[in-house]
Each structure stands twice: as structure tokens, then as C-alpha cells.
Amino acid sequence: MTDSAPIYDDKAHVRGSLDLTAAEWIRSDEGAEDEEEHVEIAFVEHTDGITYTAMRNSAHPEGPVLVFTPAEWEAFILGVKDGEFDEPW
């Protein structure tokens, strides 16, 4: 058995209590047909005063939603810009 790093859940207090009912979902329509699935994001302020970024699949708006802290969202965007998620050629 290997030791693993401790898990730090900095969204535990948000899980299940982030109100997405009034979220204004936005997406990039660049190069896509209206019928296609899209990634949608919304910036949602929580009662803790922090604005979280929520992400969902437009084809399943009632489905799972990923939630990012501001630091996680910034790291994700920097990774995208750096090509971290590009498919290998």
C-alpha cells in the first residue's frame, strides 16, 4: 500500500448549496452548429462571497455540473492556453 497526499476539499462548504437557478450560462458558438453539444459556463457568487465557475454540457443541462474555485479556474485556463489538453497528433 502506498501513502497518498491528503485530500483537501476547498469546496466542501459549497457542494450542494451553490444556487445555479439564476445562473447565466454562456458558451462559445465559434465553429459549431446550434444542434451540437456545447460546454457552457456560468460565474456564480456563493454566500461565502466567492464567485465560482460552474461548467456543464448543454445537451444535459440538468446533468452534472463541475464547479471550480477561482484558483482552479485560472489554472484550467492557463493549461488550455498552454496546450495541456490538446489531443496528441
Side-chain angles (χ1 to χ4, degrees):
M1 182 173 186
T2 62
D3 292 331
S4 61
I7 296 173
Y8 176 70
D9 185 358
D10 57 352
K11 293 184 296 272
H13 68 288
V14 175
R15 202 172 321 286
S17 67
L18 190 62
D19 184 7
L20 299 174
T21 57
E24 294 183 29
W25 294 95
I26 57 176
R27 65 181 173 192
S28 171
D29 293 329
E30 186 176 324
E33 300 293 327
D34 285 340
E35 298 82 34
E36 291 184 23
E37 293 181 37
H38 300 269
V39 171
E40 296 179 319
I41 63 168
F43 300 102
V44 183
E45 189 170 344
H46 189 264
T47 56
D48 63 5
I50 296 174
T51 299
Y52 294 87
T53 303
M55 180 187 291
R56 71 179 184 183
N57 180 335
S58 67
H60 305 285
E62 302 302 321
V65 174
L66 300 175
V67 176
F68 298 88
T69 65
E72 290 170 332
W73 185 248
E74 181 180 7
F76 174 73
I77 294 301
L78 290 173
V80 169
K81 289 179 179 180
D82 194 37
E84 186 175 329
F85 305 106
D86 290 354
E87 292 186 36
W89 295 101

